[in-house]
C-alpha cells in the first residue's frame, strides 16, 4: 500500500513518489483534463486566466513536471532538439548561441541535447555525435559554430531537419532537409567598424586584418572598402596587414606598421587584435583616442568593455543567430540563407583626429 500524507489546508494528497497530474488537479480544484490542457499548452482549448494561473501555481507548489517521454509517445513527435557544437564550449563569448537556442526551444516546449565535437573535429567525431542524437529521435539537428566556417556533416537522410548557425554545410545535398543557414552579416559589420573612424574624420587609417582568405576576413574587408568609398576614399589607399586574430599578432603587426609611419586610426580584425595594438600604442606613448583611434570587432564579453579606454567595436549576434536557427528548424516554411545584422557598439576609443 502506497504511503500517503494529507495536507489538511489544501486537501491535496502528497505522496512519497513523484507528483501526478491528478494531484495538481486536486490541489487546484479542477479536472485532470483541464490540468492537461494548461500544462500541454493547448491553445485550442479555452481556459480562464485565473484558472490557468491556479493550475500553474499548484504544479509549482507540488514540484510537478511533465513526463516528456510519455508526452512524445502520445503526440507521436519528439520535443528534443539535437545541437552539434563546433567548439562553442571553449569559446565563452560565443556561448550566447546556445543560450539563444535553449531559450527559443523552451518557449516552444522543447529541450536541447548538446554534443560538442571541438573546434577542429574529425568526421568520425561528427558522425558519432549525429548518430547518438538521431538514436534519441530528436526533432532535428542544429549545427553551431562560434566562428563562421564550412562544416562537413555526415550524410543525412533527406527527412532529417537541419539548421546551421554561424556555419554552412559543405555538401547541402547530403545535409538533410536544410531549413536555414544563419550567418552574421560580416560585410555590414566590417562597414560599421570602418565607418566609425571615417565618420569621425580619419583618413590616415590602418587595417589589421585577421587570417587571410577566411570568409569572415574577406567579408569584413569588403565592408571596409564599402565604407571607404562612402567616405570618398580610394580603398586601395588604405594599408592592410594580416594576422591570425590573436592579441600577439595585433601587437606585432601594429609595431611593424608604426615603425614605418604614424596613423591616426587603426581598424582591427577582432577585439583581441585590438588589445595587442592597444598595448603596443601604450608602449610607444601614444594615447587612445587622443593620438590614435582604435576599433575592434566581436564585442567579446569581459574584454571590449573592460579595456582602458573601453573599446568601440562591432557585436556578433550570437544569441539572435541561435534563436533564429531553432525557430527555423521547427517552423513549417524553410527560412533559407539569412544574414543577421552586426550592430556597432560605440565606446570611448574613437575621437576626431588631432590637427
Amino acid at each position: 500500500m502506497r504511503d500517503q500524507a494529507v495536507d489538511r489546508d489544501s486537501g491535496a494528497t502528497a505522496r512519497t513518489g513523484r507528483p501526478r497530474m491528478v494531484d495538481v488537479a486536486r490541489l487546484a480544484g479542477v479536472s485532470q483534463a483541464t490540468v492537461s490542457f494548461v500544462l500541454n499548452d493547448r491553445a485550442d482549448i479555452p481556459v480562464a486566466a485565473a484558472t490557468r494561473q491556479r493550475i500553474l501555481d499548484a504544479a509549482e507548489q507540488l514540484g510537478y513536471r511533465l513526463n516528456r517521454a510519455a508526452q512524445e509517445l502520445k503526440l507521436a513527435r519528439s520535443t528534443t532538439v539535437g545541437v552539434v557544437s563546433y567548439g562553442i564550449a571553449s569559446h565563452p563569448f560565443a556561448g550566447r548561441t546556445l543560450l539563444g537556442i535553449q531559450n527559443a526551444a523552451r518557449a516552444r516546449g522543447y529541450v536541447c541535447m548538446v554534443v560538442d565535437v571541438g573546434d577542429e573535429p574529425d568526421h568520425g567525431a561528427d558522425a558519432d555525435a549525429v548518430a547518438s542524437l538521431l538514436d534519441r529521435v530528436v526533432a532535428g539537428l542544429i549545427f553551431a559554430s562560434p566562428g563562421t566556417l564550412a562544416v562537413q556533416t555526415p550524410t543525412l537522410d533527406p527527412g532529417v531537419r537541419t539548421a546551421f548557425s554561424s556555419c554552412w554545410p559543405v555538401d547541402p545535398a547530403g545535409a538533410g532537409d536544410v531549413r536555414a543557414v544563419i550567418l552574421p552579416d560580416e560585410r555590414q559589420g566590417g562597414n560599421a567598424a570602418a565607418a566609425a573612424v571615417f565618420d569621425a574624420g580619419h583618413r590616415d587609417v590602418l587595417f589589421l586584418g585577421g587570417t587571410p582568405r577566411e570568409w569572415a576576413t574577406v567579408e569584413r574587408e569588403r565592408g571596409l572598402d564599402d565604407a571607404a568609398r562612402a567616405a570618398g576614399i580610394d580603398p586601395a589607399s588604405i594599408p592592410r596587414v594580416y594576422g591570425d586574430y590573436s592579441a600577439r599578432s595585433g601587437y606585432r603587426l601594429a609595431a611593424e606598421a608604426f615603425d614605418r609611419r604614424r596613423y591616426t586610426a587603426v581598424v582591427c580584425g577582432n577585439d583581441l587584435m585590438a588589445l595587442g595594438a592597444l598595448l603596443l600604442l601604450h608602449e610607444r606613448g601614444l594615447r587612445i583616442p587622443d593620438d590614435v583611434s582604435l576599433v575592434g570587432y566581436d564585442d567579446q564579453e569581459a574584454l571590449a568593455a573592460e579595456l582602458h579606454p573601453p573599446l568601440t567595436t562591432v557585436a556578433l549576434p550570437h544569441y539572435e543567430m541561435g534563436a533564429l536557427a531553432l525557430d527555423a528548424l521547427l517552423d513549417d516554411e524553410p527560412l533559407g540563407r539569412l544574414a543577421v545584422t552586426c550592430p556597432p557598439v560605440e565606446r570611448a576609443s574613437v575621437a576626431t583626429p588631432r590637427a
Side-chain angles (χ1 to χ4, degrees), residues 302-317:
L303 175 60
E306 304 302 323
L307 294 179
H308 182 70
L311 184 66
T312 292
T313 186
V314 172
L316 282 172

Side-chain angles (χ1 to χ4, degrees), residues 60-95:
E60 182 177 3
Q61 180 179 333
L62 293 173
Y64 176 81
R65 296 290 183 271
L66 280 173
N67 186 329
R68 289 293 181 186
Q71 184 188 40
E72 290 173 5
L73 287 173
K74 186 180 296 184
L75 297 176
R77 67 177 174 85
S78 173
T79 57
T80 302
V81 171
V83 181
V84 179
S85 158
Y86 292 92
I88 288 178
S90 60
H91 290 78
F93 77 93

Side-chain angles (χ1 to χ4, degrees), residues 47-230:
V47 177
T51 302
R52 176 182 295 273
Q53 189 59 52
R54 195 162 69 250
I55 291 169
L56 294 175
D57 290 344
E60 182 177 3
Q61 180 179 333
L62 293 173
Y64 176 81
R65 296 290 183 271
L66 280 173
N67 186 329
R68 289 293 181 186
Q71 184 188 40
E72 290 173 5
L73 287 173
K74 186 180 296 184
L75 297 176
R77 67 177 174 85
S78 173
T79 57
T80 302
V81 171
V83 181
V84 179
S85 158
Y86 292 92
I88 288 178
S90 60
H91 290 78
F93 77 93
R96 290 185 59 79
T97 300
L98 294 182
L99 184 62
I101 294 172
Q102 291 172 339
N103 284 352
R106 188 180 300 114
R108 300 179 67 144
Y110 285 73
V111 295
C112 298
M113 182 176 294
V114 181
V115 179
D116 194 287
V117 295
D119 55 3
E120 294 183 1
D122 58 55
H123 299 328
D126 284 7
D128 289 344
V130 169
S132 177
L133 292 169
L134 293 178
D135 284 347
R136 287 159 174 78
V137 197
V138 294
L141 297 171
I142 295 176
F143 295 86
S145 168
T148 48
L149 77 161
V151 295
Q152 180 68 62
T153 69
T155 301
L156 297 172
D157 186 277
V160 176
R161 287 192 174 202
T162 57
F164 295 78
S165 176
S166 200
C167 58
W168 62 90
V170 172
D171 177 21
D177 177 11
V178 180
R179 313 296 291 181
V181 174
I182 314 294
L183 300 172
D185 192 340
E186 299 280 20
R187 184 171 183 173
Q188 168 270 319
N191 187 324
V197 296
F198 293 144
D199 291 349
H202 291 274
R203 296 297 181 265
D204 200 6
V205 177
L206 170 68
F207 177 68
L208 300 186
T211 307
R213 294 182 295 280
E214 279 193 1
W215 183 80
T217 303
V218 171
E219 290 297 297
R220 292 174 191 181
E221 191 169 359
R222 291 176 68 193
L224 169 78
D225 293 345
D226 293 340
R229 282 188 286 266

Side-chain angles (χ1 to χ4, degrees), residues 152-303:
Q152 180 68 62
T153 69
T155 301
L156 297 172
D157 186 277
V160 176
R161 287 192 174 202
T162 57
F164 295 78
S165 176
S166 200
C167 58
W168 62 90
V170 172
D171 177 21
D177 177 11
V178 180
R179 313 296 291 181
V181 174
I182 314 294
L183 300 172
D185 192 340
E186 299 280 20
R187 184 171 183 173
Q188 168 270 319
N191 187 324
V197 296
F198 293 144
D199 291 349
H202 291 274
R203 296 297 181 265
D204 200 6
V205 177
L206 170 68
F207 177 68
L208 300 186
T211 307
R213 294 182 295 280
E214 279 193 1
W215 183 80
T217 303
V218 171
E219 290 297 297
R220 292 174 191 181
E221 191 169 359
R222 291 176 68 193
L224 169 78
D225 293 345
D226 293 340
R229 282 188 286 266
I233 301 169
D234 179 6
S237 69
I238 301 172
R240 304 151 195 250
V241 290
Y242 302 91
D244 60 6
Y245 288 119
S246 69
R248 179 175 297 177
S249 72
Y251 179 97
R252 175 179 56 81
L253 294 173
E256 294 171 355
F258 276 76
D259 281 345
R260 292 188 293 269
R261 54 172 293 193
R262 284 275 295 273
Y263 299 89
T264 66
V266 182
V267 177
C268 300
N270 71 348
D271 294 342
L272 282 174
M273 294 188 76
L275 170 61
L278 180 146
L279 294 173
L280 180 281
L281 294 170
H282 280 175
E283 285 184 7
R284 298 283 175 96
L286 297 172
R287 296 170 298 169
I288 298 171
D290 297 342
D291 299 317
V292 182
S293 288
L294 187 65
V295 177
Y297 201 106
D298 290 348
D299 195 26
Q300 287 197 29
E301 187 176 353
L303 175 60

